[in-house]
Amino acid sequence: MKLLYSLNQKPPHGITFLLALQHMLASIGGIVAVPLIVGSSIGLPNEEIVSLINAALLASGIVTMAQCIGLGPIGIRLPVVMGSSFAFLGVAIAIGREGGVASIMGSALVGSLVVILASFYMDKVRKLFPTVVSGVVVTLIGLTILPVAMNWVGDAPASSENFATLPKLFLAIISLGIVVAVSVYCKGAVAASAIVIGLAGGYIVALSLGMVNLNDISSAAWVGGPEPLKYGLSFEASAIVSMSLVYIVVIAEATGDFMALANNCNTKVSGKDLQRGLLGDGLGSTLSSLLTAMPLASFSQNVGIVGITGVASRFVVATTGALLILGGLFPKLAAVAVTIPKPVLGGVGFVMFGMIAYAGIRMLITAADTKRNALVICVGLASGLAVTFEPRLLQHLPHDIANFLHSGITTGTIVTVLLHQLLPKSSRKEEREALKESRNQVQEKIAKRAQAEEDSREAQVELKTQQD
């Protein structure tokens, strides 16, 4: 895929702001949603939930800038947005109901050390994720996150009659249609801004339909900020174990996100790069705990934005980090983005999440087309999607194991890695023949396309001759 701006390019300031705003609008809903849901679920008053949200925005902004720009051995130097991860949602609510926010922050602080420790062994971890494995992981990230977009479109409990009403479907379709139209029919910076234009267009339509709640803007304070260690820290063994298991999941997801992002940026990541990225991830979650914010992880939806816009500049996303920091310090600014209706986000999310799956499929295409690799891919994908589509498959397992495997990304990653390690390796001759056959198929497609273009040109010349 041809890039509009490469990894180390700096677009003009105005364009940089617009593209950065696009990433912020795509991520802020998720960043805000986690502390909002956790705070509401454990019975915190509204003013304390607002404090958690401000802390989440500030921490996300700081760590996003560190990942993009890099601080010595910290930061992967890719356009990655960091934010409060939905992966921690269930365990944070369970821990919070037992021990309050202090227990969440304490277990998150200890659990972040798992990521920091793992980062120093990324050369070995990287060997577990060759193209055939990482392609499955990235594809699963895209496919399993699609329900998030579906729930955004529904904007109500699935059992409710208000789920995906016609006005909500209309908003989602309009937003999706704008993104597709701008991407196809526009060029340059306009095409690169397809996501934010889709969000803005959907927002305007929602305003005209009276589907935007502006109370959040009027009630938000002008200036605010987090209160470090507001609730203190408490350390419960069971909470620490549960949180650490989720962090292991996040390591797999982050590795997949980083590789998908590198693929979209037309660059490669080494084990050293992944080490810097995971170290930034781990230290970022440590900082979050101290700032009284939820644990952080890379945001998959922003990987999709890079893929669809062709803007790989890490300086654009570093600017997103600065905007998130402003959002944390000036709640009025963040409140504007928070008022974007969920169906608008959902319509745009279909494109963003679909692009992640597409990046994974592109990676799988480059793997040798052997019977062994086919088994690894098929069983890995099927395992991950199985627990996603039918969670009851795990209901008779011990609670901790079922809780660990409930994520399709986790299950699919474990199965794929084990199969790749345990199945007999394909012979070099078989791999060479598979790669040769794959190249021949590509060359054949190129030749057919060239012939079709030549036939089209000849037809146009003939038609013009006849008209003359």
Side-chain angles (χ1 to χ4, degrees), residues 142-188:
L143 295 178
T144 57
I145 202 174
L146 270 175
V148 174
M150 298 174 192
N151 289 329
W152 281 343
V153 173
D155 194 23
S159 58
S160 170
E161 291 183 357
N162 293 321
F163 184 85
T165 56
L166 290 179
K168 294 174 184 177
L169 287 177
F170 176 71
L171 268 186
I173 292 170
I174 287 292
S175 304
L176 174 59
I178 292 173
V179 173
V180 172
V182 172
S183 299
V184 172
Y185 296 109
C186 298
K187 295 181 180 180

Side-chain angles (χ1 to χ4, degrees), residues 34 67 76 78 80-91 115 118 122 125 129 133-148 243-262 269 274 277-278 281-282 285 295-304 353 356 360 363 384 387-388 403-414 417:
V34 174
Q67 287 281 32
I76 195 168
L78 289 176
V80 57
V81 174
M82 304 294 293
S84 306
S85 174
F86 283 100
F88 294 97
L89 200 56
V91 70
V115 184
M122 275 314 298
V125 173
F129 292 89
V133 175
S134 57
V136 171
V137 176
V138 173
T139 303
L140 280 172
I141 289 174
L143 295 178
T144 57
I145 202 174
L146 270 175
V148 174
M243 189 68 78
S244 297
L245 289 175
V246 180
Y247 271 111
I248 293 173
V249 174
V250 169
I251 291 173
E253 292 185 0
T255 302
D257 281 342
F258 292 153
M259 289 186 291
L261 194 54
V269 289
L274 291 175
L278 278 183
D281 199 330
S285 290
L296 301 181
S298 56
F299 264 30
S300 300
Q301 56 263 51
N302 295 84
V303 178
F353 303 155
I356 299 169
M363 296 169 72
V387 297
T388 301
N403 193 47
F404 181 57
L405 295 176
H406 84 283
S407 166
I409 299 170
T410 308
T411 301
T413 299
I414 292 173
V417 169

Side-chain angles (χ1 to χ4, degrees), residues 371-373 375-376 418-426:
K371 186 179 295 185
R372 177 187 182 277
N373 283 353
L375 282 172
V376 172
L418 287 176
L419 284 175
H420 184 70
Q421 294 297 316
L422 297 176
L423 291 181
K425 304 291 183 183
S426 302

Side-chain angles (χ1 to χ4, degrees), residues 17-305:
F17 174 78
L18 185 62
L19 297 173
L21 182 63
Q22 173 168 264
H23 279 280
M24 178 185 177
L25 292 175
S27 61
I28 195 169
I31 295 172
V32 168
V34 174
L36 177 63
I37 294 170
V38 172
S40 301
S41 299
I42 64 177
L44 291 181
N46 288 339
E47 59 271 17
E48 294 191 18
I49 295 175
V50 169
S51 178
L52 289 180
I53 291 173
N54 288 340
L57 290 169
L58 182 61
S60 297
I62 293 172
V63 182
T64 293
M65 293 186 72
Q67 287 281 32
C68 295
I69 304 300
L71 297 171
I74 302 170
I76 195 168
R77 279 81 166 172
L78 289 176
V80 57
V81 174
M82 304 294 293
S84 306
S85 174
F86 283 100
F88 294 97
L89 200 56
V91 70
I93 291 172
I95 293 172
R97 285 175 174 170
E98 291 290 328
V101 179
S103 186
I104 296 174
M105 298 304 157
S107 58
L109 179 65
V110 177
S112 68
L113 302 179
V114 173
V115 184
I116 295 171
L117 182 64
S119 70
F120 293 102
Y121 297 93
M122 275 314 298
D123 284 331
K124 294 181 179 179
V125 173
R126 182 69 181 86
K127 293 178 181 178
L128 298 175
F129 292 89
T131 302
V132 66
V133 175
S134 57
V136 171
V137 176
V138 173
T139 303
L140 280 172
I141 289 174
L143 295 178
T144 57
I145 202 174
L146 270 175
V148 174
M150 298 174 192
N151 289 329
W152 281 343
V153 173
D155 194 23
S159 58
S160 170
E161 291 183 357
N162 293 321
F163 184 85
T165 56
L166 290 179
K168 294 174 184 177
L169 287 177
F170 176 71
L171 268 186
I173 292 170
I174 287 292
S175 304
L176 174 59
I178 292 173
V179 173
V180 172
V182 172
S183 299
V184 172
Y185 296 109
C186 298
K187 295 181 180 180
V190 177
S193 304
I195 299 295
V196 73
I197 292 173
L199 289 170
Y203 191 82
I204 292 170
V205 174
L207 274 172
S208 67
L209 295 175
M211 296 178 66
V212 178
N213 183 2
L214 299 176
N215 291 334
D216 289 331
I217 299 176
S218 58
S219 62
W222 282 103
V223 180
E227 300 177 42
L229 297 175
K230 178 179 179 179
Y231 301 93
L233 300 170
S234 68
F235 304 96
E236 302 289 337
S238 60
I240 291 172
V241 171
S242 298
M243 189 68 78
S244 297
L245 289 175
V246 180
Y247 271 111
I248 293 173
V249 174
V250 169
I251 291 173
E253 292 185 0
T255 302
D257 281 342
F258 292 153
M259 289 186 291
L261 194 54
N263 187 63
N264 285 344
C265 294
N266 292 346
T267 188
K268 293 183 178 180
V269 289
S270 63
K272 196 74 174 177
D273 294 325
L274 291 175
Q275 177 180 322
R276 290 200 301 260
L278 278 183
L279 184 58
D281 199 330
L283 289 173
S285 290
T286 302
L287 174 66
S288 293
S289 300
L290 298 177
L291 291 176
T292 316
M294 295 296 158
L296 301 181
S298 56
F299 264 30
S300 300
Q301 56 263 51
N302 295 84
V303 178
I305 291 178

Side-chain angles (χ1 to χ4, degrees), residues 339-352:
T339 60
I340 297 175
K342 290 293 194 303
V344 174
L345 289 173
V348 173
F350 281 154
V351 181
M352 294 187 298

